[in-house]
Amino acid sequence: MTINLSQLKAFVSVASVGSFTKAARTLNLSQSNLSMQVATLEKSYNIKLLERKKGEVRPTALGRDLADIGKQIFSLQDQAAELVKNANALDKGTLRIGCDSPVTVFPYLARFKEQYPNVEVSLYLGSAHEVLVALKACKIDIALMSEQVDETQFIAKPLKQSSLGCVCPIDHPFAKKKKITFADLDGEKLVMRMVGSQTRAVFDAASKLADFTPTIALEVSSREGVMEGVRHGFGVGLVWQNEFNDDPRLKAIPLGVDGGNLTISQVVGRERENRGILRAFVDFLEK
């Protein structure tokens, strides 16, 4: 039995906004028509997709799963429409990029826009995990990220390598060194990214490999936070060398330890790789 897409769209809209009134307005339908479509969908499969309590509408566990699938279906519909619309014009259309490091993506993006000035680009920034979730949900077309992925679902190709570095004030003794080792860091107060970030994961793995126990003075959720912590004297920071922005008050020195490297990859869904503008961007990256 094929699911009715009009009914599915009505349900997804209600589940997304939590209101029949708002959903009806979005879809330009009467509220009674919208309610009937959702009710018919539930009745057709003898299921309950929405909980209605005290004026609120929330999806059930089954409803949440169906809504996620529905969003992917309608996202793919939009992509199909865009593909045929711009089939003969690769210099037009939209491209949604996700990245876990703005420093990584902007140099590529600037050069791509020079070649394809009419392509509308949106950029989603988040942790590697957040970017992967967005890619799975079809909220973005391609990800430039450092997290490993399921290669049965995605195509991942190495883009560039990055290495960890130490950031310290220019008057710190480390500023005169050509590289920093774990022996140098022994007892040194460190400003670190929080557990869950790729920066922290790579550093922790390298520390474990060397049987090194760091002295963590401050944990922050962003690269900018690490830099600010160093500026204000909390300790020496750990960042990716390619993410260090020139600052006359600070100096970045390579961290010369085993396991302190990371591969940044371009990742796309297998079913989307050959879509017009996306294909052009992938080809651009591979050059």
Side-chain angles (χ1 to χ4, degrees):
M1 184 178 179
T2 303
I3 195 166
N4 184 295
L5 291 182
S6 295
Q7 295 170 4
L8 179 61
K9 192 167 190 175
F11 160 70
V12 169
S13 184
V14 174
S16 298
V17 300
S19 165
F20 279 89
T21 302
K22 291 179 181 178
R25 192 180 303 125
T26 300
L27 297 178
N28 197 26
L29 296 173
S30 67
Q31 189 169 333
S32 60
N33 187 323
L34 182 74
S35 299
M36 181 183 67
Q37 292 204 49
V38 174
T40 301
L41 179 61
E42 290 179 314
K43 185 177 179 181
S44 297
Y45 294 93
N46 193 26
I47 54 175
K48 188 171 185 179
L49 298 173
L50 296 169
E51 297 279 2
R52 303 163 177 82
K53 292 183 179 179
K54 298 180 180 179
E56 292 184 340
V57 182
R58 295 181 180 178
T60 61
L62 174 61
R64 286 193 296 271
D65 290 341
L66 182 61
D68 287 341
I69 293 172
K71 289 175 184 177
Q72 294 180 48
I73 289 173
F74 297 122
S75 175
L76 290 172
Q77 275 192 327
D78 291 341
Q79 291 177 40
E82 181 186 332
L83 176 62
V84 296
K85 178 182 177 182
N86 298 308
N88 297 314
L90 285 180
D91 62 337
K92 296 179 181 179
T94 60
L95 179 67
R96 303 169 301 170
I97 304 171
C99 188
D100 58 359
S101 169
V103 178
T104 296
V105 70
F106 275 110
Y108 295 109
L109 191 54
R111 294 197 297 273
F112 181 75
K113 286 290 287 181
E114 287 179 1
Q115 292 187 30
Y116 298 91
N118 296 322
V119 173
E120 181 181 335
V121 177
S122 64
L123 180 61
Y124 172 80
L125 296 174
S127 68
H129 175 71
E130 290 169 337
V131 170
L132 183 58
V133 169
L135 187 62
K136 287 180 178 178
C138 299
K139 294 180 179 178
I140 57 176
D141 302 311
I142 185 170
L144 307 185
M145 55 184 288
S146 52
E147 187 166 301
Q148 291 186 334
V149 298
D150 180 357
E151 295 196 3
T152 63
Q153 290 184 279
F154 302 102
I155 297 172
K157 297 179 181 179
L159 186 63
K160 63 186 297 185
Q161 287 278 334
S162 188
S163 301
L164 282 174
C166 290
V167 177
C168 65
I170 56 173
D171 58 355
H172 191 284
F174 282 5
K176 298 179 181 179
K177 291 181 174 287
K178 292 185 178 180
K179 71 175 182 178
I180 304 299
T181 66
F182 279 135
D184 296 319
L185 293 178
D186 190 23
E188 190 77 28
K189 292 181 179 179
L190 301 180
V191 182
M192 296 290 302
R193 292 288 301 273
M194 290 181 172
V195 173
S197 73
Q198 285 295 93
T199 308
R200 182 62 177 272
V202 170
F203 181 78
D204 286 351
S207 298
K208 185 177 181 179
L209 185 66
D211 195 25
F212 171 72
T213 302
T215 302
I216 300 176
L218 181 66
E219 293 180 307
V220 293
S221 61
S222 67
R223 173 183 57 87
E224 292 77 10
V226 171
M227 308 289 275
E228 202 62 31
V230 175
R231 292 187 189 102
H232 284 81
F234 283 91
V236 172
L238 274 298
V239 298
W240 296 110
Q241 290 188 63
N242 69 309
E243 293 185 341
F244 177 72
N245 293 328
D246 289 338
D247 185 324
R249 296 168 292 178
L250 304 177
K251 185 174 180 181
I253 309 99
L255 183 64
V257 301
D258 292 336
N261 300 313
L262 187 70
T263 299
I264 299 170
S265 301
Q266 50 165 308
V267 185
V268 297
R270 288 190 172 274
E271 75 285 356
R272 284 174 276 169
E273 184 192 18
N274 292 312
R275 189 169 70 83
I277 294 299
L278 178 56
R279 179 73 258 169
F281 186 64
V282 169
D283 290 343
F284 167 82
L285 293 175
E286 292 177 351
K287 294 176 184 177

